[in-house]
Amino acid sequence: MPTTASALPPGPRSAIPGMLSARFARDRLGFFEAMAREHGDVSWFRDMGASFALLNHPDLVRDVLVTQQRLFHKGIGLERARLLLGDGLLTSEGAFHLRQRRLMQPAFHRERIAGYGATMGRFAERHVARWRDGVALDASTEMAALTLAIAGKTLFDADVAGDTGVIAGALDESLHAFGLVLLPFGEQLARLPIPPARRFRAAKARMDAVVYRLIAERRAEVAAGARDRGDLLTMLVQAQDAEADGAGMTDEQVRDEALTILLAGHETTANALAWSWWFLAQHPETERALHAEVDAVLASAEGAPRAATVDDLARLPYTRMVVSESMRLRPPAFVLGRRAMQPYAVPGTPWVLPQGTTVFMAQHLLHRDARFWPDPDRFDPERWRDDATSRPKFAYFPFGAGTRVCIGEQFAWMELTLVLATVARRWRLALVPGHRVVPHPVITLRAKHGIRMVAHARDGVSHPIAP
C-alpha cells in the first residue's frame, strides 16, 4: 500500500533536524507520555531521516507482536546490540531465531526450572545473612549482586567471585560504553580508536575469553560422559535440533545465548526486586500483609525463619501480587521496539506507517492507562485478586509477547517470588530520608542514583536463617 502524507498519523513536529531525537534521548518516558497525551493511541514523527511511531492500545500491541509479527523485525537498538550479544534470542531474526528458541526450550522446561528453586532460596538467605540491623544499603546494588550470584550458579555453575564475576564485570563495563553504539553511525564509531570504543572492545574480549573457556570445559565434560552439572550452559552445549538435522549449537551460538540469558535475567530481575522494596517501604499496609504471608509460610519447626522453596510458591500468592504490581508501575522492560519491514496499515485507523518505521509499544504507558487500570498510579497489589480476563491481555506485558516472549519468564517469576519472600521473612527495608529516587530508562528501567535504604531485622532476629 503506498504511503502518502495524508495517511501519516499525527505527532510531534520540529523544523530543526535532531531536535525531536534530542528530546527523546533526554527524557524517554516523558517524551512517550507527551506523544500519547497529545496525539492519541497512534502517533508518529520523523527526524534525521528516520521514522518513529508509538502505538498505545492493547489491540495494537497484539497486532504487532502476535497477529502481524512477521511484518516486523527488532528495532535499531537491538540490532546494534549484536555487537555485544551476537545472534542470541534477543537479537536474532527469522528462521534462525526459531531454531535457536527450539534448541533452548528444554533448558527452560518446568521441571528443569523447578530444580533451580533451591539455588534461589539458598543464595538469597546467604546474601542477606551479612546485612546488619540499622545499616544503610543500596537496594539496587544488593539485588544486582544477589541475582548475579543466582545467574552465575544456574547458568555457569560458577561462583560470583570467580568466572561469573569477571564475565559480569566486563558485561557491565560493555553496557556503560554501549551508548556509543546507539549513536548515529554507532557501528562505525565502535570500530574507531577512541577511548569509549577501546573500552568496549577490551571488555568484550575479556568476557569472551572466559565464556569460551567455560564452553570448552563443558564440551570436554560431556564428551567424557561426566555427570550433568545441572546448569544451563551444559544444556546449551548438549542441545540438538531433533526437528531438523539433529545438529547442535556452535561455540559462538552457545556464547551468544549464554550472555543473552545472563544479561536479560540478571539485569531485569534485579531491577524488579529493587523497585519492589521501594514500593513496600512507602506502603506499610502492603508491607504488613506481605510479612503476614511469609511469616505463616516460612516458619521452620523451631520457629526460626527459613528460605522459600519451590514447594512454597502456591502458598505465596500475595508475594507474587506485590511483584506483579511493582512490574506494572516500574516495568524493567519499559518499552518494546519493532521495525516495520513494509508499509504497515494500523488496524482500525486511516494511518499507514512507512516501511522502516521503528514502532514503539511502551509498557510504561499501557501499564498505567486509566482505561484498563482503575486508579492507575496507585500501588495496589490487591488489584491482582481480580479476574485478569476483565482487562485486555496486552494491557500488561512485562515479558513481551508472541513468539519472542521472554523464554525465561517462568524462571523470572519463580526467582522474584522466592527471593522477595526469603528476604522479607527476615528483613524490612526503610527508605533513607532525603534520598531522591529517580527512574532512569536506559536499556532497562533502573534507579538513576540507586535506592538507599536502611535494613531492619524483623522480630529482633539477627541469627542465621535455619537451613
Side-chain angles (χ1 to χ4, degrees):
M1 177 183 295
T3 303
T4 64
S6 61
L8 293 172
R13 301 290 185 260
S14 175
I16 304 174
M19 179 63 70
L20 295 175
S21 297
R23 281 178 52 197
F24 174 72
R26 187 167 56 249
D27 182 10
R28 291 175 174 85
L29 301 184
F31 192 84
F32 286 139
E33 289 168 356
M35 284 184 73
R37 181 176 62 251
E38 296 169 12
H39 305 290
D41 288 345
V42 184
S43 51
W44 176 91
F45 71 93
R46 183 185 295 278
D47 194 26
M48 302 290 287
S51 174
F52 303 91
L54 175 66
L55 303 184
N56 193 47
H57 192 280
D59 293 345
L60 301 180
V61 173
R62 180 195 296 273
D63 198 63
V64 172
L65 297 184
V66 180
T67 308
Q68 302 290 344
Q69 60 179 302
R70 287 186 173 85
L71 303 182
F72 295 89
H73 280 187
K74 304 293 280 187
I76 189 171
L78 287 176
E79 287 182 354
R80 299 278 178 85
R82 280 195 173 97
L83 290 175
L84 175 62
L85 299 176
D87 284 315
L89 283 184
L90 200 61
T91 56
S92 59
E93 298 285 0
F96 182 80
H97 172 267
L98 293 176
R99 178 182 185 271
Q100 287 299 101
R101 192 174 182 97
R102 191 165 61 240
L103 281 168
M104 293 180 65
Q105 200 66 56
F108 290 92
H109 281 167
R110 184 179 300 274
E111 296 78 9
R112 188 83 180 188
I113 291 175
Y116 302 135
T119 295
M120 295 168 181
R122 185 173 70 253
F123 275 53
E125 67 178 15
R126 186 174 75 179
H127 184 83
V128 301
R130 60 184 178 80
W131 290 1
R132 294 295 175 262
D133 191 23
V135 175
L137 51 80
D138 181 351
S140 297
T141 301
E142 293 293 325
M143 293 302 102
L146 172 54
T147 59
L148 174 60
I150 292 171
K153 182 63 177 177
T154 56
L155 176 56
F156 297 116
D157 189 29
D159 193 288
V160 68
D163 290 330
T164 306
V166 174
I167 295 169
L171 184 58
D172 191 58
E173 190 174 335
S174 299
L175 288 173
H176 276 101
F178 192 66
L180 174 77
V181 179
L182 296 178
L183 295 172
F185 309 106
E187 291 180 275
Q188 290 76 20
L189 290 173
R191 297 184 177 91
L192 295 177
I194 56 180
R198 286 201 301 267
R199 288 194 297 271
F200 176 81
R201 292 193 297 269
K204 182 174 179 290
R206 290 198 306 276
M207 181 171 61
D208 286 350
V210 178
V211 173
Y212 280 122
R213 176 175 58 77
L214 290 173
I215 293 171
E217 291 173 359
R218 288 300 183 282
R219 290 205 187 278
E221 290 173 3
V222 170
R227 181 180 62 85
D228 184 354
R229 290 172 175 252
D231 62 335
L232 286 166
L233 186 61
T234 301
M235 290 288 290
L236 297 180
V237 166
Q238 292 177 321
Q240 293 182 317
D241 191 355
E243 295 186 22
D245 54 8
M249 297 187 205
T250 65
D251 285 358
E252 184 177 9
Q253 289 166 357
V254 173
R255 175 264 184 207
D256 295 349
E257 300 299 357
L259 288 180
T260 298
I261 295 169
L262 179 64
L263 173 63
H266 153 56
E267 171 79 10
T268 58
T269 306
N271 288 339
L273 286 166
W275 286 119
S276 295
W277 295 120
W278 183 72
F279 281 117
L280 286 167
Q282 298 172 84
H283 297 85
E285 290 187 8
T286 300
E287 186 182 57
R288 283 193 292 271
L290 174 68
H291 287 160
E293 177 173 272
V294 300
D295 289 353
V297 173
L298 302 183
S300 68
E302 296 76 23
R306 65 172 177 83
T309 69
V310 174
D311 294 336
D312 296 315
L313 286 173
R315 298 192 295 152
L316 294 168
Y318 193 78
T319 306
R320 175 156 172 157
M321 288 159 59
V322 168
V323 174
S324 298
E325 184 70 347
S326 174
M327 288 201 293
R328 183 182 72 84
L329 290 170
R330 289 286 187 267
F334 62 95
V335 65
L336 288 178
R338 294 290 187 268
R339 184 161 53 89
M341 303 309 292
Q342 62 186 59
Y344 173 62
V346 183
T349 79
W351 315 126
V352 179
L353 303 181
Q355 179 177 344
T357 298
T358 296
V359 177
F360 292 117
M361 297 148 288
Q363 292 97 324
H364 171 74
L365 293 180
L366 281 170
H367 288 190
R368 295 169 174 260
D369 196 312
R371 292 174 293 180
F372 316 114
W373 305 94
D375 198 2
D377 293 326
R378 180 165 61 96
F379 180 76
D380 180 19
E382 288 294 333
R383 72 174 78 240
W384 293 95
R385 292 196 192 278
D386 298 336
D387 185 359
T389 59
S390 64
R391 292 183 295 272
K393 180 177 180 181
F394 293 94
Y396 186 73
F397 56 113
F399 293 95
T403 58
R404 303 196 72 107
V405 67
C406 175
I407 196 172
E409 178 177 357
Q410 294 308 312
F411 183 102
W413 278 117
M414 183 172 70
E415 182 176 358
L416 289 165
T417 304
L418 296 182
V419 169
L420 192 70
T422 298
V423 178
R425 179 63 183 91
R426 279 194 72 189
W427 298 91
R428 59 176 297 269
L429 298 179
L431 293 172
V432 170
H435 176 69
R436 187 164 173 251
V437 177
V438 181
H440 185 47
V442 190
I443 295 177
T444 59
L445 189 59
R446 293 180 169 186
K448 187 171 186 178
H449 308 295
I451 303 177
R452 296 288 296 168
M453 308 188 83
V454 177
H456 296 288
R458 296 190 54 231
D459 303 324
V461 175
S462 58
H463 55 72
I465 292 180

